[in-house]
Amino acid sequence: MEKITIAIDGYSSTGKSTIAKQLAKALNYIYVDTGAMYRAVTLYAMRNGFVSENACDVEALIASLQDIELRFVYNDAAGFAEMYLNDENVEREIRTMEVSKLVSKVATIENVRQKLVAIQQKMGLEKGIVMDGRDIGTVVFPNAELKIFMTASPEKRATRRYKELLDKGEEVKYSEVLKNVEHRDYVDSHREISPLRKAGDAIVFDNSDMGLEDQFSRILDFANRVI
Ligand code: C5P
């Protein structure tokens, strides 16, 4: 059977990665979470003092990009690939609220995007890939055979994210999560380079009132119609 490329873009916390992971598993495709890559670069920048809430030393971060090695390593027990930053498993650390607050700032930097987009395109050379992010259907794989643009109300998305963070033991307030989701969407959609927008040929998928099973079966159906 011919393998295709599936691009899943959309707003923060729309559940893109949950669906993308399930879809990749069902089709026996590779799954790539590009948000994890931007998060890992952000973690590196935080640890080296290049970015904080009030400042970002763009030059220093650009100069250090050559020292950042990103890798996904499949974890059998978890059932998905985890993010490694220079041989360190950072899967947990990149999901914290602290990283979420700074990642969109780092994601506006052109050299960062160039580096990550090049890695992503290389991973997709053989097709048979489900990739989620913000610019997959528009920039990374403009010729993807299936493009989904996921959306849901900010309140629904913040509620899901809030539960996830609580489950992981983070002490956060719902209002803080909602503010972060809205802020990231604003920065991601208004940045100059590769802003978050729906590709002309993407299917808009609003999952505000949809359970996971329903979402998965509908998206698998879209995929089966193309494959
Ligand atoms: O997908 P996730 O919410 O983990 O992404 C974190 C952030 O990384 C986004 O808010 C966005 O700023 C950035 N990002 C991006 N382009 C992508 C994936 C993520 O700019 N393809």
Side-chain angles (χ1 to χ4, degrees):
M1 203 188 291
E2 190 89 349
K3 294 208 166 199
I4 64 163
T5 300
I6 302 177
I8 304 190
D9 289 301
Y11 294 102
S12 306
S13 306
T14 38
K16 299 183 291 296
S17 56
T18 308
I19 290 297
K21 253 182 231 165
Q22 285 185 356
L23 190 61
K25 203 169 200 172
L27 298 173
N28 203 14
Y29 278 19
I30 295 167
Y31 163 63
V32 178
D33 170 3
T34 62
M37 300 168 78
Y38 287 92
R39 287 173 178 273
V41 173
T42 303
L43 180 64
Y44 180 92
M46 284 163 59
R47 286 176 173 176
N48 288 279
F50 300 149
V51 68
S52 64
E53 271 195 56
N54 310 313
C56 185
D57 189 342
V58 175
E59 294 309 315
L61 177 54
I62 291 175
S64 296
L65 280 178
Q66 60 193 23
D67 304 328
I68 302 178
E69 200 236 339
L70 301 177
R71 213 154 37 95
F72 286 101
V73 178
Y74 194 80
N75 177 332
D76 273 330
F80 61 89
E82 295 180 322
M83 185 83 254
Y84 279 68
L85 165 64
N86 294 339
D87 289 331
E88 175 192 352
N89 183 338
V90 291
E91 187 57 37
R92 262 189 91 86
E93 226 179 315
I94 58 170
R95 311 281 169 196
T96 59
M97 195 66 196
E98 222 187 329
V99 173
S100 296
K101 280 185 179 163
L102 299 173
V103 62
S104 289
K105 204 188 282 194
V106 170
T108 60
I109 303 170
E110 188 170 15
N111 301 54
V112 170
R113 304 204 69 84
Q114 278 169 355
K115 178 180 167 109
L116 300 194
V117 168
I119 301 173
Q120 292 153 10
Q121 289 176 332
K122 211 167 153 193
M123 289 194 274
L125 278 178
E126 314 252 303
K127 299 202 173 205
I129 193 164
V130 183
M131 192 174 276
D132 81 49
R134 304 294 188 287
D135 59 344
I136 312 306
T138 51
V139 175
V140 182
F141 299 127
N143 297 322
E145 288 85 353
L146 176 63
K147 298 179 185 176
I148 310 279
F149 189 85
M150 291 191 49
T151 178
S153 72
E155 290 75 16
K156 290 262 169 164
R157 293 186 282 122
T159 303
R160 290 177 193 152
R161 186 93 189 106
Y162 176 62
K163 283 191 188 141
E164 251 173 54
L165 288 166
L166 288 188
D167 284 348
K168 284 183 188 162
E170 268 212 58
E171 280 182 29
V172 282
K173 287 195 191 115
Y174 170 77
S175 57
E176 193 187 359
V177 177
L178 177 62
K179 204 170 128 196
N180 176 254
V181 160
E182 290 180 323
H183 176 70
R184 277 202 287 143
D185 289 345
Y186 182 85
V187 178
D188 292 344
S189 330
H190 288 81
R191 69 182 171 223
E192 226 167 275
I193 308 146
S194 320
L196 166 65
R197 61 181 171 78
K198 184 188 100 58
D201 51 352
I203 300 167
V204 177
F205 194 81
D206 185 330
N207 64 16
S208 300
D209 298 308
M210 243 185 251
L212 269 181
E213 260 179 53
D214 195 11
Q215 288 181 54
F216 175 63
S217 75
R218 286 187 203 211
I219 291 189
L220 183 61
D221 193 40
F222 290 141
N224 282 329
R225 276 189 238 165
V226 181
I227 292 172

